[in-house]
Amino acid sequence: LDHLCINRSIRCLELREIGDSDGELVQSITCLEPFFEKNDELKCIVGRKLNMRQSDVISLLVTILSRRQSPVEEIQLIDCKIGDEEIQIVLSAFKKQPTIVPKKICLDSNRIGDEGCRTISEYLEDKRVEIELLSLSDNSRITLTGFQHIAKALAGRRRALRKLDVSRNNFGGNLLTPFVEAFSSDPDMIPDELDLTSSTSADTQSWRIFGKLLARRRFPMTAIRLGRNSISHIDLSAFVTAFNSRPRSTPKILDLLSNNINLRGDGDAMANLLAKPNCSLERLIMIRNDFLLDENSALRIIDSLERNDKLQEFWLDTHDHLSAYVFDCLYDLVCDTRSIEATIFHSNHTLFHFGEAASDFGDIHLIWN
């Protein structure tokens, strides 16, 4: 500890699994107090599996942060038994001293509920708060009511959040409805990166309306993650069709991992979107779905990629069942050898990953027999 307090070049400090009894966590934080206060290079504090419900722990940490000359940029308190009461203490202190407010707050795997979300929403509404990232993943006590508080607060901010992660929360209903209601007046306030993995069950009409909302943005989102939401190929078709009129608004990364999508005989919607010259998609993740591409769907998608100069990665489940003709078409897509002109001007020079496994060499990687 003495050596730590002398060393002022450490940028991140992680406290992990410090005991619950006899005030061990309070003692540890107290010993590190000189380090916290004097190390101006410290930008990130991480706590994992700590008992932050102990008396004085939260207050002590906030007091130490308030004495720093420069703010910590990121605080992660993961699986630290933080509930609504602890959130109230932390954010109340941050409100009183906005100079110590971190730009990135991660509160994954805690015990935050709807009342805690109300406190967070009031904090987000404070115009002095400059926050870029908020992660509330795996807080199973949050319901749709709590999410509605968060969404309304984000929609009313002066600047959009860079990233919002509410994945792995059992909201108990259609998350897309309060989301659309909150951001319908200004879709550009939707966070640039949005993680809704394993968080919603929605009908086809809701996915269509959600897609239309995103398509109204002036600039495409960097990433949207919709894995493990039981999305069917009909839901997917409704969602991606909404971008046909404004393909430049398509998110750059679309993660559809582990859904119920089956493109057998029905790959038109995705193929039509990929064929749009202004489609912004750079990475499309569709592995671990319950489909195997049939020959016609595969050929339609390959044909659409001939006119696509944005997509770099297309992650699919293994498709060794396809005929040699399909793979020949795929080879011609990335290197058309009919002539030098075709090789230079007609080949797809953007796509470098099409298949199941990633390339270790950064070169063209295709799954073939």
Side-chain angles (χ1 to χ4, degrees):
L1 289 176
D2 290 338
H3 179 71
L4 267 181
C5 293
I6 294 172
N7 189 331
R8 299 190 179 186
S9 63
I10 296 175
R11 296 180 61 84
C12 181
L13 179 68
E14 178 170 340
L15 305 175
R16 181 191 291 263
E17 298 185 64
I18 298 176
D20 289 349
S21 60
D22 301 325
E24 291 179 17
L25 183 54
V26 173
Q27 292 176 30
S28 299
I29 295 176
T30 303
C31 289
L32 286 168
E33 189 169 347
F35 170 77
F36 281 126
E37 292 182 12
K38 298 177 181 179
N39 188 341
D40 292 336
E41 293 298 318
L42 184 66
K43 302 300 181 185
C44 178
I45 298 174
V46 181
R48 293 181 187 271
K49 296 187 176 180
L50 307 178
N51 185 3
M52 302 298 284
R53 294 182 74 92
Q54 294 182 67
S55 59
D56 301 330
V57 172
I58 293 287
S59 299
L60 176 61
L61 183 59
V62 170
T63 300
I64 292 173
L65 290 175
S66 66
R67 294 173 184 166
R68 288 178 51 83
Q69 297 298 316
S70 59
V72 174
E73 293 181 0
E74 182 173 2
I75 289 183
Q76 299 182 27
L77 299 175
I78 302 170
D79 195 8
C80 290
K81 302 180 181 179
I82 293 175
D84 296 345
E85 184 178 344
E86 288 73 31
I87 287 294
Q88 177 71 43
I89 296 172
V90 173
L91 298 187
S92 295
F94 283 172
K95 268 190 172 184
K96 293 177 182 177
Q97 294 179 290
T99 56
I100 69 171
V101 174
K103 293 183 178 180
K104 302 175 183 179
I105 300 178
C106 177
L107 299 167
D108 295 351
S109 303
N110 282 294
R111 301 174 180 178
I112 300 170
D114 290 346
E115 194 58 39
C117 287
R118 184 189 296 275
T119 302
I120 294 171
S121 66
E122 293 172 354
Y123 173 73
L124 294 171
E125 289 169 353
D126 192 325
K127 295 182 179 180
R128 299 171 299 171
V129 173
E130 295 292 338
I131 184 170
E132 297 177 354
L133 181 149
L134 176 63
S135 184
L136 297 170
S137 176
D138 194 20
N139 281 273
S140 58
R141 300 184 184 187
I142 301 176
T143 69
L144 288 177
T145 301
F147 177 77
Q148 194 169 22
H149 292 319
I150 300 290
K152 285 183 177 180
L154 292 177
R157 288 175 55 82
R158 293 180 299 176
R159 183 181 301 174
L161 219 62
R162 186 172 63 79
K163 181 176 181 179
L164 175 66
D165 185 349
V166 290
S167 61
R168 296 185 294 145
N169 285 309
N170 182 18
F171 292 108
N174 186 346
L175 186 70
L176 302 184
T177 300
F179 189 94
V180 171
E181 290 175 354
F183 292 100
S184 59
S185 60
D186 189 358
D188 288 320
M189 290 306 298
I190 297 172
D192 189 45
E193 296 183 42
L194 184 62
D195 195 337
L196 301 180
T197 302
S198 189
S199 61
T200 185
S201 55
D203 56 23
T204 301
Q205 180 64 10
S206 296
W207 285 113
R208 179 179 290 107
I209 295 172
F210 183 55
K212 288 182 177 180
L213 175 69
L214 300 186
R216 287 170 49 203
R217 287 173 56 94
R218 289 179 297 169
F219 303 101
M221 296 174 63
T222 297
I224 182 166
R225 306 191 184 279
L226 302 172
R228 299 185 177 91
N229 283 314
S230 301
I231 299 172
S232 69
H233 69 281
I234 300 175
D235 299 332
L236 176 63
S237 178
F239 176 71
V240 300
T241 300
F243 294 97
N244 282 341
S245 60
R246 296 196 65 194
R248 66 175 67 239
S249 297
T250 312
K252 294 181 180 179
I253 299 174
L254 178 57
D255 185 349
L256 297 164
L257 173 77
S258 296
N259 280 291
N260 298 329
I261 300 167
N262 187 336
L263 293 185
R264 185 181 292 274
D266 190 17
D268 287 345
M270 185 59 71
N272 290 340
L273 179 61
L274 291 173
K276 299 288 184 181
N278 295 325
C279 180
S280 299
L281 260 175
E282 296 176 3
R283 182 187 303 168
L284 178 58
I285 303 171
M286 298 184 69
I287 57 176
R288 298 178 191 169
N289 279 275
D290 61 355
F291 73 87
L292 291 173
L293 277 175
D294 67 343
E295 191 147 319
N296 290 332
S297 298
L299 290 173
R300 280 197 293 270
I301 289 176
I302 290 172
D303 182 61
S304 70
L305 292 176
E306 184 177 349
R307 296 174 292 280
N308 186 300
D309 62 355
K310 296 288 195 309
L311 191 69
Q312 300 175 22
E313 303 177 45
F314 194 164
W315 291 61
L316 288 166
D317 291 312
T318 183
H319 40 269
D320 292 340
H321 63 288
L322 296 175
S323 69
Y325 174 70
V326 172
F327 286 97
D328 287 341
C329 293
L330 186 56
Y331 305 152
D332 289 341
L333 169 71
V334 295
C335 188
D336 191 334
T337 58
R338 289 175 297 180
S339 66
I340 292 179
E341 289 78 10
T343 303
I344 296 174
F345 298 110
H346 296 160
S347 299
N348 185 312
H349 299 288
T350 308
L351 185 69
F352 70 86
H353 177 82
F354 187 101
E356 182 180 28
S359 170
D360 294 330
F361 304 101
D363 298 325
I364 295 172
H365 184 82
L366 308 172
I367 301 298
W368 54 45
N369 290 320

